[in-house]
Amino acid sequence: MSDCLFCKIAAGEIPATVVHETPTTLAFRDINPHAPVHVLVIPKEHHEDALALAEAGLAGDVLSTAAAVAAKEGIAESGYRVTFNTGPDAGRTVFHAHAHVLGGHPLEMRLG
Ligand code: 5GP
Ligand code: ZN
């Protein structure tokens, strides 16, 4: 998609701090981190949301990359959260599917 921020990051047209890359995914630091480790994992292909990602057979790739990021960032043992925001109530702002990988300190749990 020509007008998609994360497609531009995937294409290298907008800079990002990349922490991990696979043939199908890219992981880079969130520009506005909410935890000591806050990394976004995207499919390189444009898919709108987590359901589209699952239907394309790429959800497993994104989750595997999230686990690789956690290992690389040293939070695999201490623990981390993987989140897909969907829709306005979740505060979603970028409409290229992405997983947030959060960790590096105890994470508050708010369910609603
Ligand atoms: P959402 O709310 O859609 O789940 O999350 C979008 C995330 O993308 C936000 O956490 C926001 O800080 C991050 N973000 C927005 N623009 C950029 C950017 O240009 N570069 C990077 N690295 N992160 C961005
Ligand atoms: Zn896109």
Side-chain angles (χ1 to χ4, degrees):
M1 283 239 308
S2 56
D3 206 26
C4 169
L5 174 65
F6 286 177
C7 279
K8 287 181 179 160
I9 287 179
E13 291 165 13
I14 290 177
T17 307
V18 172
V19 298
H20 195 70
E21 184 171 6
T22 71
T24 56
T25 67
L26 189 70
F28 54 90
R29 295 198 192 285
D30 196 293
I31 206 166
N32 180 26
H34 287 262
V37 175
H38 187 172
V39 173
L40 302 174
V41 181
I42 64 167
K44 289 180 178 174
E45 268 179 27
H46 184 89
H47 294 283
E48 171 124 351
D49 57 20
L51 176 60
L53 203 57
E55 287 175 346
L58 286 167
D61 289 12
V62 167
L63 291 174
S64 295
T65 298
V69 165
K72 253 186 174 170
E73 295 288 310
I75 57 169
E77 300 300 323
S78 51
Y80 60 98
R81 182 172 293 153
V82 179
T83 302
F84 289 91
N85 289 328
T86 305
D89 279 355
R92 183 145 187 235
T93 57
V94 179
F95 294 89
H96 178 129
H98 53 278
H100 295 256
V101 181
L102 296 147
H105 68 186
L107 299 163
E108 194 183 324
M109 188 60 174
R110 271 197 70 197
L111 293 176

